[in-house]
Amino acid sequence: MGLLSDSGQQNMTLGQKFWQLNWGLILLITLVSCIGFAMLYSAANGSWDPWAKRQAMVFGLGLVFMIAVALIDIKFWLRSAYFWYFVALVLLVVVEVAGHIGMGAQRWIDLKVFKLQPSEVMKVAMVLALARYFHGVSMDDIGRPSYLIIPIVMVVVPVLLILRQPDLGTSLMLVIGSGVIFFLAGVRLWKFALVGLAGLGSLPVVWSFMHGYQKQRVLTFLNPESDPLGSGYHIMQSKIAMGAGGMFGQGFIQGTQSHLNFLPEKQTDFIFTMLTEEFGFVGGVTLITLYGLLFIYGLAISLQCRSQFGRLVGMGVTTTFALYVFVNIAMVTGVIPVVGAPLPLVSYGGTAMIVVLGGFGLLMNVFVHRDVRIPRRWSDPLS
């Protein structure tokens, strides 16, 4: 635990907060990101351009942003949680009205310098907003269905906007990540079972509203060999590349499937495949182990926190991060359908990198302020 008492943590200076940062977590994040730089260098056939150099620069900026987020008073994040949610929601509306269209989807806002993907911002904003809501609600109130209407609406509105882009994968992960926070806040299991049954019953309706390519992804998942040169091409090439890697891989910048351009999106969604082709089973397990350590760090930090808001933010950020790691690796190994999810800290993408580091900044903020008591309501003592 920290060296400061409860009252000391309430009044820490900036310097004291800086030395309270979890440097082991920062080292792990940097290590995983460096693996990403190396794979992007390899993806460009041994060149820092066009991906590795830009990704490293974004990481440098993101690291400063992460530390800044960690040092800000945790009560600021509590008070401004709904504001950040509203900002992310407005950005999603802007995408709906005047978003940039690319690869058949309308998911970005073109800021000329870079393209912002608001659905990535919503991942963290949703965690903050739900943690803020459930922090102010007692366990007795959480048991009443009427108290769940507001958080459900907070989840449904952005999910519907993201579905219209269309981005089924991000929508599902936002729903699952939010469901985890509902569960951690104390919502009873029978309510999840009820929602699950309703979801199963609505599958025929959902199927009728799905786009053609989304239906094809599901059918390809069930039988990838049915169209190996069409819709099944990505996953078939991914499996071939992984198999070619064997136990120890073909060597750095030596992957044949990757560098002969058989492997699609090797710098983004399928970067884990390229890693296993070049470093084999051992390389893949090593990266998964590092992700596992990050997950354990997140759980440990969350469980140490004395405030409900801090615990929910920490657990929400950690589970969202773990969910994306699982979905990406499960996707490229053929365990689930291809949904277009990047591998956190490794896949190329500026918005995703900044948002992930911002999320880790919140996790470290929880660690720095782990002994700070936050009242349920502003009128209570200690506010």
Side-chain angles (χ1 to χ4, degrees):
M1 295 294 291
L3 298 174
L4 299 170
S5 64
D6 291 2
S7 58
Q9 278 232 335
Q10 297 278 356
N11 301 297
M12 280 190 292
T13 64
L14 205 58
Q16 288 173 320
K17 289 182 180 180
F18 184 79
W19 291 113
Q20 286 279 312
L21 291 173
N22 193 316
W23 296 99
L25 181 60
I26 295 175
L27 180 64
L28 263 178
I29 291 169
T30 305
L31 192 56
V32 173
S33 300
C34 286
I35 292 175
F37 307 152
M39 297 319 302
L40 292 173
Y41 179 84
S42 174
N45 295 316
S47 171
W48 286 97
D49 291 315
W51 301 306
K53 184 168 72 177
R54 187 176 175 85
Q55 184 84 340
M57 291 170 62
V58 172
F59 174 75
L61 293 172
L63 204 59
V64 175
F65 176 60
M66 179 181 74
I67 292 174
V69 169
L71 297 180
I72 293 173
D73 193 326
I74 193 170
K75 292 174 187 172
F76 167 81
W77 295 114
L78 175 72
R79 293 186 176 109
S80 62
Y82 292 149
F83 169 77
W84 298 115
Y85 172 84
F86 181 73
V87 168
L89 195 62
V90 169
L91 290 174
L92 285 174
V93 173
V94 172
V95 170
E96 172 71 17
V97 176
H100 174 80
I101 299 175
M103 296 181 289
Q106 188 169 329
R107 301 175 184 170
W108 301 270
I109 297 174
D110 191 352
L111 299 177
K112 303 306 177 185
V113 180
F114 68 97
K115 292 182 177 63
L116 178 70
Q117 190 172 352
S119 57
E120 295 287 329
V121 180
M122 181 52 81
K123 291 177 192 172
V124 176
M126 180 69 78
V127 170
L128 274 176
L130 290 179
R132 167 72 180 85
Y133 179 83
F134 285 118
H135 173 82
V137 181
S138 69
M139 288 301 293
D140 289 338
D141 289 338
I142 290 175
R144 298 172 183 147
S146 59
Y147 278 80
L148 299 180
I149 294 174
I150 291 176
I152 288 174
V153 171
M154 287 165 60
V155 175
V156 169
V157 173
V159 164
L160 290 177
L161 287 169
I162 295 170
L163 275 173
R164 285 183 55 80
Q165 294 180 359
D167 190 347
L168 181 62
T170 301
S171 304
L172 287 175
M173 284 188 273
L174 203 57
V175 169
I176 296 171
S178 302
V180 170
I181 297 178
F182 275 65
F183 173 73
L184 295 172
V187 176
R188 303 284 175 78
L189 282 175
W190 69 265
K191 292 173 182 170
F192 287 97
L194 199 64
V195 173
L197 288 174
L200 286 175
S202 64
L203 280 180
V205 179
V206 173
W207 181 263
S208 67
F209 280 97
M210 287 173 67
H211 292 262
Y213 79 93
Q214 291 171 331
K215 293 179 180 176
Q216 192 58 49
R217 282 180 175 180
V218 176
L219 296 173
T220 300
F221 163 69
L222 297 173
N223 185 16
E225 289 80 11
S226 63
D227 189 11
L229 297 179
S231 57
Y233 181 80
H234 288 193
I235 192 61
M236 291 289 290
Q237 292 301 322
S238 179
K239 289 180 178 178
I240 292 170
M242 285 187 172
M247 181 59 73
F248 298 105
Q250 298 181 346
F252 189 46
I253 321 181
Q254 301 298 319
T256 50
Q257 293 296 114
S258 308
H259 294 286
L260 293 176
N261 292 324
F262 288 108
L263 185 65
E265 305 295 336
K266 58 191 176 188
Q267 79 280 13
T268 53
D269 294 350
F270 287 85
I271 197 165
F272 183 78
T273 302
M274 189 174 68
L275 181 140
T276 53
E277 186 185 23
E278 298 191 354
F279 295 98
F281 176 78
V282 173
V285 169
T286 301
L287 181 59
I288 291 173
T289 302
L290 291 175
Y291 277 131
L293 289 174
L294 282 173
F295 184 64
I296 291 170
Y297 256 100
L299 290 182
I301 288 172
S302 305
L303 293 175
Q304 286 181 35
C305 188
R306 293 192 179 188
S307 70
Q308 174 75 337
F309 176 72
R311 281 193 297 272
L312 290 177
V313 168
M315 294 293 283
V317 167
T318 302
T319 53
T320 299
F321 173 79
L323 186 63
Y324 270 77
V325 171
F326 167 77
V327 168
N328 178 274
I329 294 177
M331 174 186 78
V332 300
T333 52
V335 176
I336 63 172
V338 175
V339 293
L343 190 60
L345 298 173
V346 176
S347 290
Y348 178 72
T351 306
M353 175 65 87
I354 292 291
V355 170
V356 168
L357 290 175
F360 276 116
L362 287 173
L363 182 62
M364 270 189 282
N365 186 286
V366 171
F367 179 75
V368 170
H369 301 88
R370 58 193 178 280
D371 291 329
V372 173
R373 298 174 187 274
I374 305 176
R376 191 176 298 280
R377 298 181 180 83
W378 302 123
S379 56
D380 293 342
L382 295 177
S383 61

